[in-house]
């Protein structure tokens, strides 16, 4: 079977009426590959008539439209069976089976911080979104958000000034919402990545945005909330992040600002109040380790546990406590040109998901830096 055939099979399942990612992943587990999964789906007795009709005779015109989108430069379908599918999504309830990407798909494997907030943010809220996004992107983190008006848009734009960003869409990859972000979306496709789990042609629907939010929080090590009403999508994202075991941060605001009430509620419920970027970075290091398989044991003690040690001393201590798996990964990386994560998996014999999780931590600790195309290079 060719790559074209594989993509056709994926699109056939993803477009099946009434079938979600959970069923697609179940068929893949039972069948072993995407073509066998389609065959298994066709024998599924519980499928509704619309699904059986589609699987029996898929609409060739719709599939051709999807393939035309994927044929464009920078466009990809990243499937859960591929080595560069983000491992941090696999454990999520209802994890997507595949993601449409316009831009640099390698960014999905980079350490990310989500920044979310009110669409109608105040001037102070927008200023804070720009300030934190720019500073966090400058540290090497990818800033991830939802391409909405207000805080999301400000965070994306400022992240591009200092680093890069991922926008998770609540529409198909070819449908932009809101339309006023056309230029911003084009910039993100060039310097970051636009990501969607919805098939091309899918327009904005209310139920899509909570689903988008679980991907925003699931991709990220932590979520920063900047201004939110007590009934908002941002608080949904914060709740999902907490349920997924990710860090949640909230910026306090004026008691006279109704958009500060959502953040104040989060803080009362135990979410970490933050005032500086350093507070976020310090909190994310153990979160990166938690995503790996016993990463904390392999990487040694948390640098925050070092008594009154300066940052240089902590970095030196981290160098001396890296254990064999991490050292093997760094040796495989070498000091030459950037190396792809799947190449590192081959060189070390370590599983791809383990390599990806280790790279997250090593990048946060300053040992490696991400390059384009999902590649990495040593910084020490």
């Amino acid at each position: 079977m060719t790559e074209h055939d594989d993509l056709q099979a994926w699109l056939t399942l993803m477009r099946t009426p009434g079938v979600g990612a959970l069923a697609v992943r179940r068929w893949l587990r039972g069948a072993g590959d995407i073509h066998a999964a389609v065959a298994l789906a066709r024998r599924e007795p519980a499928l509704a008539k619309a699904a059986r009709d589609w699987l029996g005779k898929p609409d060739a015109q719709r599939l051709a439209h999807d393939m035309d989108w994927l044929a464009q430069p920078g466009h990809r379908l990243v499937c859960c069976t591929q080595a560069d599918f983000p491992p941090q999504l696999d454990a999520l309830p209802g994890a997507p089976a595949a993601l449409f990407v316009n831009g640099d798909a390698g960014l999905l494997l980079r350490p990310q911080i989500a920044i979310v907030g009110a669409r109608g943010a105040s001037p102070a809220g927008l200023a804070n979104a720009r300030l934190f996004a720019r500073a966090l992107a400058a540290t090497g983190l990818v800033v991830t958000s939802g391409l909405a008006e207000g805080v999301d848009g400000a965070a994306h734009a400022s992240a591009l000034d200092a680093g890069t960003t991922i926008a998770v869409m609540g529409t198909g990859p070819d449908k932009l919402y809101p339309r006023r972000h056309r230029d911003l979306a084009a910039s993100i496709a060039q310097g970051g990545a636009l990501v969607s789990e919805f098939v091309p042609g899918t327009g904005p629907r209310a139920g899509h945005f909570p689903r988008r939010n679980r991907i925003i929080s699931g991709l990220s090590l932590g979520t920063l909330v900047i201004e939110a009403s007590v009934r908002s999508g941002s608080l949904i994202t914060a709740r999902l992040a907490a349920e997924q075991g990710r860090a949640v941060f909230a910026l306090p605001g004026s008691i006279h600002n109704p958009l500060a009430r959502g953040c104040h509620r989060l803080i009362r419920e135990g979410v970490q109040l933050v005032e500086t970027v350093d507070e976020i970075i310090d909190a994310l290091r153990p979160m990166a380790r938690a995503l790996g398989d016993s990463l904390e044991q392999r990487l040694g003690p948390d640098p925050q546990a070092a008594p009154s040690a300066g940052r240089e001393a902590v970095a030196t201590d981290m160098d001396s406590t890296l254990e064999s798996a991490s050292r093997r990964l760094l040796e495989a990386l070498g000091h030459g040109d950037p190396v792809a994560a799947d190449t590192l998996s081959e060189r070390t014999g370590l599983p791809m998901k383990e390599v990806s999780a280790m790279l997250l931590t090593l990048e946060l600790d300053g040992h490696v830096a991400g390059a384009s195309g999902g590649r990495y290079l040593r910084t020490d």
Side-chain angles (χ1 to χ4, degrees):
M1 294 287 184
T2 66
E3 181 182 0
H4 182 277
D5 295 331
D6 292 346
L7 286 174
Q8 289 266 18
W10 271 100
L11 294 166
T12 297
L13 282 190
M14 293 180 73
R15 279 201 171 274
T16 303
V19 167
L22 189 64
V24 174
R25 282 178 172 261
R26 176 167 54 82
W27 289 326
L28 280 167
R29 287 194 302 271
D33 66 67
I34 190 61
H35 298 283
V38 172
L40 187 60
R42 287 173 175 152
R43 300 194 298 272
E44 177 70 57
L47 283 182
K49 182 178 183 301
R52 292 198 305 272
D53 289 346
W54 166 265
L55 288 169
K57 189 177 181 181
D59 186 326
Q61 188 173 356
R62 285 189 181 181
L63 294 180
H65 173 74
D66 296 343
M67 294 297 291
D68 286 344
W69 187 89
L70 288 170
Q72 296 177 45
H75 292 190
R76 246 195 89 189
L77 183 66
V78 181
C79 306
C80 64
T81 52
Q82 294 175 315
D84 58 350
F85 186 86
Q88 61 269 41
L89 291 185
D90 279 330
L92 300 186
L99 296 169
F100 293 91
V101 179
N102 179 3
D104 185 356
L107 296 178
L108 294 169
L109 296 176
R110 294 270 301 279
Q112 298 167 47
I113 175 72
I115 298 181
V116 297
R119 286 178 170 82
S122 69
L126 294 175
N128 282 330
R130 295 186 190 103
L131 174 68
F132 275 80
R134 186 178 294 108
L136 287 164
T139 70
L141 286 167
V142 176
V143 172
T144 299
S145 196
L147 200 61
E149 295 185 43
V151 165
D152 290 20
H156 286 308
S158 290
L160 285 173
D161 289 340
T164 191
T165 187
I166 291 173
V168 184
M169 305 167 69
T171 62
D174 59 339
K175 296 289 185 180
L176 181 62
Y177 181 83
R179 291 186 179 180
R180 65 177 295 179
H181 278 169
R182 179 178 302 171
D183 290 344
L184 176 60
S187 296
I188 294 171
Q190 290 297 314
L194 299 166
V195 175
S196 174
E197 68 174 315
F198 302 107
V199 294
T202 304
R205 299 171 193 164
H208 290 175
F209 294 97
R211 289 177 60 184
R212 172 204 65 182
N213 293 348
R214 89 192 191 288
I215 295 179
I216 293 172
S217 58
L219 282 171
S220 305
L221 296 171
T223 294
L224 171 63
V225 183
I226 301 176
E227 290 196 342
S229 66
V230 292
R231 296 178 181 272
S232 70
S234 300
L235 294 197
I236 293 174
T237 307
R239 175 179 57 78
L240 291 169
E243 290 174 354
Q244 293 160 354
R246 311 297 200 260
V248 183
F249 312 99
L251 237 61
S254 167
I255 61 171
H256 304 294
N257 179 6
L259 291 176
R261 291 174 186 163
C263 290
H264 292 170
R265 170 180 286 187
L266 290 173
I267 293 166
R268 284 196 299 272
E269 291 174 350
V271 163
Q272 182 175 344
L273 181 156
V274 292
E275 298 173 311
T276 68
V277 167
D278 281 347
E279 291 172 314
I280 295 174
I281 295 297
D282 289 343
L284 290 184
R285 293 182 189 278
M287 301 304 299
R289 293 188 181 90
L291 287 178
D293 178 22
S294 303
L295 271 176
E296 193 161 6
Q297 286 74 24
R298 279 201 296 275
L299 291 173
D302 187 337
Q304 296 305 308
S308 65
R311 288 189 179 272
E312 290 186 7
V314 168
T316 301
D317 184 60
M318 282 300 297
D319 287 339
S320 66
T321 56
L322 284 171
E323 291 189 2
S324 59
S326 298
R327 289 193 180 281
R328 197 158 87 233
L329 187 61
L330 289 173
E331 288 168 3
L333 192 55
H335 293 279
D337 293 333
V339 181
D342 55 354
T343 302
L344 291 172
S345 177
E346 293 174 6
R347 289 180 181 177
T348 60
L350 296 169
M352 181 62 187
K353 284 181 170 51
E354 188 170 332
V355 167
S356 298
M358 291 170 68
L359 285 168
L360 287 173
T361 300
L362 289 170
E363 187 167 3
L364 275 179
D365 285 335
H367 296 289
V368 305
S372 62
R375 297 175 301 159
Y376 294 82
L377 51 83
R378 287 188 70 163
T379 57
D380 54 10

